[in-house]
Amino acid sequence: MNLTGEIFFPGDKSISHRSLMFAALCNGKSKISNLSTGKDVQSTKNCLIDCGIKIYNEKSSYIVEGGKFINPKKELDCGNSGTTVRLLAGLLSGQNINATFVGDESLSNRPMKRIIEPLKLMGLNCSSKNFTLPLKIKSSKLNGINYKSQIASAQVKSAVLLAALGSNKPTSFIEPVLSRNHTEIMLKALGVPINTEKLKTTISKITKQLKPFNFNIPGDPSSAAFFAGAASMVKNSNLVLKNISGNDTRLGIFSILKQMGVTVLKSNKKNILGEKIIDIRIKNKRLNGIKINENQIPSIIDEIPIIAIIASQAKGQTKITGAKELRYKESDRISSIVLNLKKMGADITELEDGMIINGPKKLKGTFIKTYHDHRIAMAFKIASIIADGENQLDSIDCVDISYPEFFETLTKIT
Ligand code: S3P
């Protein structure tokens, strides 16, 4: 068996959340096509509707009638989605809204101090349960801040930048390593006064109402990564990932695959709302182990589960360090990866901030504990392709969080 042909992907999850939120800020009707079909983006859509924004289907697109937020009458249910709560908390703080954010069990255990701290510094009146959900925000007059973040997180950066849209003075946010920059790129394309120099982004209040936009969202490179991984591991594969986001802050996995020996060819560049769209061809070659350090982590933060599986098939050692953030995702992804890969027969050692994998090792199918984490489930389904025997996942529904079409596409391509 080899993987050949072309795959198109549903809209990028990060860009989908932002498209809905930014359309909600614009005065009038925006049209968004190829919105992510995942449950996380549905959570953002439903929360915005609860805040008085009209969002509805028209043919295969979404229409968002934005311009005015109201106080939601019920708690905003963010489901499993960290991006929904962290970005919306910032956005609504800047729009003088009172709201309470809640989420599912996983989200309720994820850290919110990272956004609460800077938002409080801006003057936001808010309360939480030990810096976790539920998080209550109260309409407050916000100040500009100059904030140096210890964590490279696009969610934290976006929360602060979006809150700053409602503050009187400019705000600057400095991050330790560049994280995904969709917020900055899209806001700039919409006419917001925002400027990035290296790791520092400065933003000022919007002085005129933003104009609505039409946007066809590029495919999700984090969903494409699972198929890129499969094609990298299966002999004689030659697969094209079509129309995916070509934003460099998202393409770390492709640089890593190249470094491991895979042929990676990028082509067909387009540009829409400042965001690039590209095709990527992946051709399998012999894989070698590599070192991955903290400077590379933000650009592969969601792809490390599949990268670990690829590394188990590479000759020599792969060492991933500086990735402690993985412990605060939908599951503790360092332990989810290590536990399951070990069960499959890989030579893998857990580090506090990463892992060491020695390969290649023939893997065997086993019972996989997904911890209801969508990316763990998809990565270990892909691992089945190169294993002796099938993996049995304890949950497959969690895949709907980001990529409901995953199993259908996998069946078509294998
Ligand atoms: C996201 C940022 C990342 C990523 C998440 C989506 C975003 O989280 O893991 O899936 O859309 O801003 P962090 O910024 O917390 O690393």
PDB file of all heavy atoms in Angstrom, residues 37-40 374 378 396-405 407:
ATOM      1  N   THR A  37     -15.373  22.630  10.163  1.00  0.00           N
ATOM      2  CA  THR A  37     -16.614  21.951  10.540  1.00  0.00           C
ATOM      3  C   THR A  37     -16.525  21.385  11.960  1.00  0.00           C
ATOM      4  O   THR A  37     -17.463  20.763  12.445  1.00  0.00           O
ATOM      5  CB  THR A  37     -16.859  20.796   9.561  1.00  0.00           C
ATOM      6  OG1 THR A  37     -15.611  20.099   9.408  1.00  0.00           O
ATOM      7  CG2 THR A  37     -17.320  21.302   8.205  1.00  0.00           C
ATOM      8  N   GLY A  38     -15.375  21.594  12.613  1.00  0.00           N
ATOM      9  CA  GLY A  38     -15.163  21.005  13.932  1.00  0.00           C
ATOM     10  C   GLY A  38     -16.009  21.637  15.032  1.00  0.00           C
ATOM     11  O   GLY A  38     -16.479  22.769  14.914  1.00  0.00           O
ATOM     12  N   LYS A  39     -16.159  20.872  16.125  1.00  0.00           N
ATOM     13  CA  LYS A  39     -16.993  21.326  17.247  1.00  0.00           C
ATOM     14  C   LYS A  39     -16.430  22.566  17.929  1.00  0.00           C
ATOM     15  O   LYS A  39     -17.170  23.376  18.477  1.00  0.00           O
ATOM     16  CB  LYS A  39     -17.119  20.216  18.292  1.00  0.00           C
ATOM     17  CG  LYS A  39     -18.130  19.164  17.933  1.00  0.00           C
ATOM     18  CD  LYS A  39     -18.329  18.240  19.131  1.00  0.00           C
ATOM     19  CE  LYS A  39     -19.401  17.206  18.832  1.00  0.00           C
ATOM     20  NZ  LYS A  39     -19.372  16.119  19.819  1.00  0.00           N
ATOM     21  N   ASP A  40     -15.093  22.712  17.932  1.00  0.00           N
ATOM     22  CA  ASP A  40     -14.487  23.882  18.589  1.00  0.00           C
ATOM     23  C   ASP A  40     -14.972  25.174  17.937  1.00  0.00           C
ATOM     24  O   ASP A  40     -15.309  26.138  18.630  1.00  0.00           O
ATOM     25  CB  ASP A  40     -12.953  23.822  18.493  1.00  0.00           C
ATOM     26  CG  ASP A  40     -12.317  23.094  19.670  1.00  0.00           C
ATOM     27  OD1 ASP A  40     -13.074  22.513  20.480  1.00  0.00           O
ATOM     28  OD2 ASP A  40     -11.079  23.105  19.779  1.00  0.00           O
ATOM     29  N   HIS A 374      -8.516  14.916  20.593  1.00  0.00           N
ATOM     30  CA  HIS A 374      -8.669  14.693  19.148  1.00  0.00           C
ATOM     31  C   HIS A 374      -7.350  14.402  18.445  1.00  0.00           C
ATOM     32  O   HIS A 374      -7.261  13.521  17.594  1.00  0.00           O
ATOM     33  CB  HIS A 374      -9.379  15.891  18.489  1.00  0.00           C
ATOM     34  CG  HIS A 374      -8.767  17.236  18.755  1.00  0.00           C
ATOM     35  ND1 HIS A 374      -8.533  18.150  17.764  1.00  0.00           N
ATOM     36  CD2 HIS A 374      -8.344  17.836  19.895  1.00  0.00           C
ATOM     37  CE1 HIS A 374      -8.014  19.239  18.290  1.00  0.00           C
ATOM     38  NE2 HIS A 374      -7.891  19.078  19.584  1.00  0.00           N
ATOM     39  N   MET A 378      -6.260  10.954  16.374  1.00  0.00           N
ATOM     40  CA  MET A 378      -5.913  10.912  14.941  1.00  0.00           C
ATOM     41  C   MET A 378      -4.482  10.412  14.731  1.00  0.00           C
ATOM     42  O   MET A 378      -4.219   9.622  13.821  1.00  0.00           O
ATOM     43  CB  MET A 378      -6.124  12.286  14.307  1.00  0.00           C
ATOM     44  CG  MET A 378      -7.607  12.631  14.179  1.00  0.00           C
ATOM     45  SD  MET A 378      -7.930  14.162  13.281  1.00  0.00           S
ATOM     46  CE  MET A 378      -7.747  15.379  14.575  1.00  0.00           C
ATOM     47  N   ILE A 396     -13.568   7.688  19.527  1.00  0.00           N
ATOM     48  CA  ILE A 396     -13.326   8.241  18.188  1.00  0.00           C
ATOM     49  C   ILE A 396     -14.102   9.542  17.993  1.00  0.00           C
ATOM     50  O   ILE A 396     -13.764  10.357  17.154  1.00  0.00           O
ATOM     51  CB  ILE A 396     -13.643   7.254  17.041  1.00  0.00           C
ATOM     52  CG1 ILE A 396     -15.062   6.703  17.151  1.00  0.00           C
ATOM     53  CG2 ILE A 396     -12.626   6.141  16.962  1.00  0.00           C
ATOM     54  CD1 ILE A 396     -15.509   6.005  15.881  1.00  0.00           C
ATOM     55  N   ASP A 397     -15.123   9.748  18.839  1.00  0.00           N
ATOM     56  CA  ASP A 397     -15.952  10.967  18.682  1.00  0.00           C
ATOM     57  C   ASP A 397     -15.138  12.240  18.869  1.00  0.00           C
ATOM     58  O   ASP A 397     -15.448  13.280  18.298  1.00  0.00           O
ATOM     59  CB  ASP A 397     -17.087  10.988  19.719  1.00  0.00           C
ATOM     60  CG  ASP A 397     -18.078   9.878  19.468  1.00  0.00           C
ATOM     61  OD1 ASP A 397     -17.945   9.212  18.415  1.00  0.00           O
ATOM     62  OD2 ASP A 397     -18.957   9.658  20.322  1.00  0.00           O
ATOM     63  N   CYS A 398     -14.067  12.153  19.691  1.00  0.00           N
ATOM     64  CA  CYS A 398     -13.287  13.355  19.986  1.00  0.00           C
ATOM     65  C   CYS A 398     -12.661  13.959  18.724  1.00  0.00           C
ATOM     66  O   CYS A 398     -12.341  15.152  18.690  1.00  0.00           O
ATOM     67  CB  CYS A 398     -12.212  13.065  21.030  1.00  0.00           C
ATOM     68  SG  CYS A 398     -11.098  11.736  20.586  1.00  0.00           S
ATOM     69  N   VAL A 399     -12.514  13.154  17.677  1.00  0.00           N
ATOM     70  CA  VAL A 399     -11.959  13.642  16.408  1.00  0.00           C
ATOM     71  C   VAL A 399     -12.808  14.803  15.851  1.00  0.00           C
ATOM     72  O   VAL A 399     -12.302  15.705  15.180  1.00  0.00           O
ATOM     73  CB  VAL A 399     -11.859  12.444  15.414  1.00  0.00           C
ATOM     74  CG1 VAL A 399     -11.690  12.894  13.984  1.00  0.00           C
ATOM     75  CG2 VAL A 399     -10.696  11.540  15.838  1.00  0.00           C
ATOM     76  N   ASP A 400     -14.113  14.781  16.183  1.00  0.00           N
ATOM     77  CA  ASP A 400     -15.023  15.844  15.705  1.00  0.00           C
ATOM     78  C   ASP A 400     -14.654  17.229  16.232  1.00  0.00           C
ATOM     79  O   ASP A 400     -15.139  18.240  15.739  1.00  0.00           O
ATOM     80  CB  ASP A 400     -16.474  15.540  16.120  1.00  0.00           C
ATOM     81  CG  ASP A 400     -17.011  14.320  15.402  1.00  0.00           C
ATOM     82  OD1 ASP A 400     -16.358  13.861  14.447  1.00  0.00           O
ATOM     83  OD2 ASP A 400     -18.079  13.818  15.815  1.00  0.00           O
ATOM     84  N   ILE A 401     -13.828  17.293  17.253  1.00  0.00           N
ATOM     85  CA  ILE A 401     -13.412  18.594  17.804  1.00  0.00           C
ATOM     86  C   ILE A 401     -12.763  19.462  16.732  1.00  0.00           C
ATOM     87  O   ILE A 401     -13.028  20.657  16.624  1.00  0.00           O
ATOM     88  CB  ILE A 401     -12.438  18.381  18.998  1.00  0.00           C
ATOM     89  CG1 ILE A 401     -13.206  17.871  20.201  1.00  0.00           C
ATOM     90  CG2 ILE A 401     -11.640  19.636  19.341  1.00  0.00           C
ATOM     91  CD1 ILE A 401     -14.212  18.831  20.777  1.00  0.00           C
ATOM     92  N   SER A 402     -11.890  18.837  15.901  1.00  0.00           N
ATOM     93  CA  SER A 402     -11.219  19.653  14.883  1.00  0.00           C
ATOM     94  C   SER A 402     -11.451  19.166  13.461  1.00  0.00           C
ATOM     95  O   SER A 402     -11.395  19.964  12.529  1.00  0.00           O
ATOM     96  CB  SER A 402      -9.708  19.701  15.146  1.00  0.00           C
ATOM     97  OG  SER A 402      -9.155  18.409  15.068  1.00  0.00           O
ATOM     98  N   TYR A 403     -11.718  17.836  13.268  1.00  0.00           N
ATOM     99  CA  TYR A 403     -11.650  17.319  11.904  1.00  0.00           C
ATOM    100  C   TYR A 403     -12.628  16.149  11.703  1.00  0.00           C
ATOM    101  O   TYR A 403     -12.198  14.994  11.541  1.00  0.00           O
ATOM    102  CB  TYR A 403     -10.193  16.875  11.652  1.00  0.00           C
ATOM    103  CG  TYR A 403      -9.826  16.514  10.238  1.00  0.00           C
ATOM    104  CD1 TYR A 403     -10.639  16.815   9.144  1.00  0.00           C
ATOM    105  CD2 TYR A 403      -8.605  15.870   9.973  1.00  0.00           C
ATOM    106  CE1 TYR A 403     -10.260  16.481   7.855  1.00  0.00           C
ATOM    107  CE2 TYR A 403      -8.216  15.539   8.690  1.00  0.00           C
ATOM    108  CZ  TYR A 403      -9.051  15.843   7.647  1.00  0.00           C
ATOM    109  OH  TYR A 403      -8.671  15.506   6.361  1.00  0.00           O
ATOM    110  N   PRO A 404     -13.940  16.449  11.671  1.00  0.00           N
ATOM    111  CA  PRO A 404     -14.934  15.376  11.557  1.00  0.00           C
ATOM    112  C   PRO A 404     -14.773  14.517  10.293  1.00  0.00           C
ATOM    113  O   PRO A 404     -15.216  13.369  10.263  1.00  0.00           O
ATOM    114  CB  PRO A 404     -16.274  16.134  11.506  1.00  0.00           C
ATOM    115  CG  PRO A 404     -15.990  17.486  12.046  1.00  0.00           C
ATOM    116  CD  PRO A 404     -14.547  17.777  11.779  1.00  0.00           C
ATOM    117  N   GLU A 405     -14.129  15.067   9.260  1.00  0.00           N
ATOM    118  CA  GLU A 405     -13.988  14.341   7.989  1.00  0.00           C
ATOM    119  C   GLU A 405     -12.796  13.383   7.998  1.00  0.00           C
ATOM    120  O   GLU A 405     -12.529  12.705   7.002  1.00  0.00           O
ATOM    121  CB  GLU A 405     -13.788  15.341   6.826  1.00  0.00           C
ATOM    122  CG  GLU A 405     -14.884  16.365   6.617  1.00  0.00           C
ATOM    123  CD  GLU A 405     -14.825  17.569   7.563  1.00  0.00           C
ATOM    124  OE1 GLU A 405     -13.973  17.580   8.486  1.00  0.00           O
ATOM    125  OE2 GLU A 405     -15.641  18.484   7.407  1.00  0.00           O
ATOM    126  N   PHE A 407     -11.908  10.377   9.295  1.00  0.00           N
ATOM    127  CA  PHE A 407     -11.991   8.938   8.990  1.00  0.00           C
ATOM    128  C   PHE A 407     -12.397   8.701   7.538  1.00  0.00           C
ATOM    129  O   PHE A 407     -11.897   7.789   6.883  1.00  0.00           O
ATOM    130  CB  PHE A 407     -12.974   8.249   9.950  1.00  0.00           C
ATOM    131  CG  PHE A 407     -12.420   8.112  11.342  1.00  0.00           C
ATOM    132  CD1 PHE A 407     -12.902   8.920  12.380  1.00  0.00           C
ATOM    133  CD2 PHE A 407     -11.399   7.217  11.615  1.00  0.00           C
ATOM    134  CE1 PHE A 407     -12.369   8.804  13.649  1.00  0.00           C
ATOM    135  CE2 PHE A 407     -10.853   7.107  12.895  1.00  0.00           C
ATOM    136  CZ  PHE A 407     -11.346   7.908  13.915  1.00  0.00           C
TER     137      PHE A 407
END
